[in-house]
Amino acid sequence: MPAIASKIGGPMRRALGLREKSVIALVGTSLLVLALAALIGWKALQSVRSHLGAAYTRNFTLLNRERMVAPVMRELALSLRLARSEAIRQWMETDQDPVAGARALREAESFRQDFTDHSYFLIAAGSRNYYFNDTRAPFSAQPRYQLKADDPNDAWFFNSMRSSQAFNINVDPDTKLGLTKVWFNVQVLDGDRRLGLAGTGLDLSEFLHRFIVTAEEGVTPMIIDRNGAIQAHPDNKRIAFNSGTQATGADTSLFGLLQRAHDADDARAAMDAAYRNPGSAELFSARMADREQLVAVSYIPELKWYTLTAVDLDAANLIDSSLLKWVVLAGLALIGIIMAAYVYALNRLVMRPLFKLKHSAQEIANGNYSITLPAGRRDELGALTGAFRVMADKVRRHTAELEDTVRERTRELVHANKEMAAAHKKIQDSIAYASLIQRAILPDRQLEAAFGEDHFVLWRPRDTVGGDFYVYREVAGGCLIGVFDCAGHGVPGAFMTMLARAAVDQAIEEIGAGDPAGILRRAGHVFNTMLQVDGRQRDIVTMMDAGLAHVDRDARKVVFAGAGISLHWGDGGDSGTVAGTRRSLGERESAQFVNEMVDLTPERTFYLATDGILDQAGGDKGFGFGNSRFVAMLRRHATLPLQRQPGAFASTLAEYQGDHPQRDDITVIAFRFARQQGHPWN
């Protein structure tokens, strides 16, 4: 025993004799740690500023992008709808017809209040007459001026007409109108023929104020096109006017602002990366205006524009410098106090007791939980000693409890999964049954009995059940056929169809089949009444598109009225469209529905379709199928038997749709009144 004590005591005394030297070494080490902490703190601060700058530049760019996309896309969408108007297209084919011209201008005037700038323009390629109306002057049906090929100020028109792009967004001052706007120039097409241009404009100063001008110091937002031409900049002298249709100079290009040779390569790489990943913000560093700046670029594919933000990290207020100084001083003082306390506490409270605990701790670490530990003290080491003492018992007890808990949780999860599977099956069974109920209200048997092979129905809900339905009612001297598109999809849309069907049936009984416009008005009123509680409208979407056609067999006429749905017809050679109103049933402001008549000739086929097929995204750019493609599809397949047309339509739509998901419920009804022996309508 004495020998063992001697072996243990010798090292202990040597360790205690080295205590004073250890304290001196700890003081020196603490000073070194303090210096290193200061250096690391400064580096960390620079890193924080760099990360904050990158995050700020990205977020500012993405925020500016999102603020701009919605209003600009709204103007572009309205301009595209204006250019696709049938009335405007027919007028531009021969714009010398005063009746067609008046109808086209009335159509354009119906769009004017929807445009943000309350303005529009029309240009017929044949006459080159420039029609323009805005709120500065009363409406004028006369052209403002005539474009000339040898006038440099009119070059934008001829370049736009030669362009393969359906539209361009061009920043340009119109010297003849005395206006500088962001112009939306959309081609008016008849197949592959370019008939003219139509569109609107946003006031440049208002556009810059909303999206470009900022009060943030050191921050310069701008907009460029794919070639780097500046479309918007806080400095108007930097804007490349008319860059959408002609080359631009170095002073009005992003690459002209870059002062280092490799900055242009970095900028192009960032632009290419943003082009491949729309919605992202790509960073690069560049020297502009004699300052090192961090630049973020994000691509807007719908507009073919880039939004950029150049941030001077030295000028931008990313971190409050006055507050930073006090934070640094407080941090240094705190580190000094902590290091001094650490040296004292380490020697007084840790080093000496630690030698006593060392042997016992090693035994416990080796798995010997039955070791006798030194008596505990009322401090941290005493608590540690007590913890070692009870550790073995706790480990064994906790292991057993954990195994029990795992088994119990496993049983609970298995039971919960079974309940979830059962609930999911009930829901799917209910929806499948709801689909059978919804199919039961559709007049498929009546249509088959009335038309036989002279009709088809393409009904394709987006989900198992949907918000589209169609009606058929045979009346004296003819019949009534219609399609309806309720707000919503899936189960909510299916419930809406039940209410809508009841409203339509009531309206037909009250108004009579010969007045489709009256039926739509009455059905809209009844539908809104159903969705009211205590005389107030419920907080749900109640709008419904509708197209209703009354076939008068004796008069050989079709009377049509539509709310957001048009009637198309074709006979293999000629074709046409009877457009419904743009308002839907159930809107707060009631629409004026009008009955339109079309001749019921032999071999003429009529088509009614909801907007599900027109709005279906597809193609390389994800655009909607659209009216022009739909009409072209009708003409291409007009000579096919009606029983083969659904397959042809579905194949055409699937080819255009590609990998894009179905957006909406799709319904198309076609019917024909051919003169055949034994046909019920002859």
Side-chain angles (χ1 to χ4, degrees), residues 360-371 373 383-399:
S360 299
Q362 286 178 338
E363 290 295 321
I364 293 176
N366 291 329
N368 185 10
Y369 300 107
S370 62
I371 190 70
L373 297 174
L384 181 60
T385 301
F388 275 117
R389 184 178 293 113
V390 300
M391 184 172 60
D393 291 338
K394 283 191 175 181
V395 168
R396 286 191 294 269
R397 187 169 61 254
H398 288 172
T399 300

Side-chain angles (χ1 to χ4, degrees), residues 385-432:
T385 301
F388 275 117
R389 184 178 293 113
V390 300
M391 184 172 60
D393 291 338
K394 283 191 175 181
V395 168
R396 286 191 294 269
R397 187 169 61 254
H398 288 172
T399 300
E401 291 176 355
L402 181 60
E403 291 176 352
D404 293 339
T405 302
V406 169
R407 284 192 292 269
E408 180 63 26
R409 293 294 183 268
T410 302
R411 286 195 296 270
E412 292 176 357
L413 286 174
V414 170
H415 181 68
N417 286 336
K418 290 181 179 179
E419 291 184 343
M420 290 172 57
H424 182 266
K425 184 178 184 306
K426 289 181 180 179
I427 293 173
Q428 292 301 316
D429 291 345
S430 297
I431 294 177

Side-chain angles (χ1 to χ4, degrees), residues 648-669:
F649 286 10
S651 177
T652 302
L653 181 62
E655 180 180 356
Y656 179 78
Q657 180 179 346
D659 295 332
H660 294 271
Q662 182 174 334
R663 281 184 174 178
D664 198 357
D665 304 321
I666 294 175
T667 301
V668 180
I669 291 184

Side-chain angles (χ1 to χ4, degrees), residues 218 512 522 524:
R522 181 56 182 162

Side-chain angles (χ1 to χ4, degrees), residues 80-159:
L80 289 169
R81 287 180 57 194
L82 175 64
R84 293 168 182 167
S85 168
E86 185 69 18
I88 291 175
R89 185 189 64 77
Q90 292 178 355
W91 166 66
M92 284 191 178
E93 289 183 343
T94 55
D95 67 326
Q96 301 301 320
D97 184 354
V99 175
R103 184 167 58 250
L105 288 174
R106 284 198 306 271
E107 179 73 4
E109 278 293 304
S110 69
F111 280 83
R112 184 156 67 91
Q113 294 303 318
D114 294 331
F115 287 123
T116 300
D117 215 17
H118 302 310
S119 66
Y120 66 88
F121 69 86
L122 301 173
I123 308 171
S127 66
R128 300 177 184 173
N129 287 331
Y130 188 100
Y131 296 84
F132 179 85
N133 281 293
D134 63 1
T135 57
R136 298 185 307 161
F139 167 79
S140 173
Q142 300 301 318
R144 298 301 179 97
Y145 60 87
Q146 190 176 48
L147 296 119
K148 299 179 180 178
D150 58 351
D151 189 346
N153 292 324
D154 298 338
W156 64 271
F157 169 75
F158 300 96
N159 291 334

Side-chain angles (χ1 to χ4, degrees), residues 57-67 279-281 298 307:
T57 306
R58 276 197 179 97
N59 292 338
F60 190 97
T61 302
L62 293 175
L63 177 61
N64 215 27
R65 177 185 186 278
E66 295 304 319
R67 289 176 55 245
S280 67
S298 181
T307 176

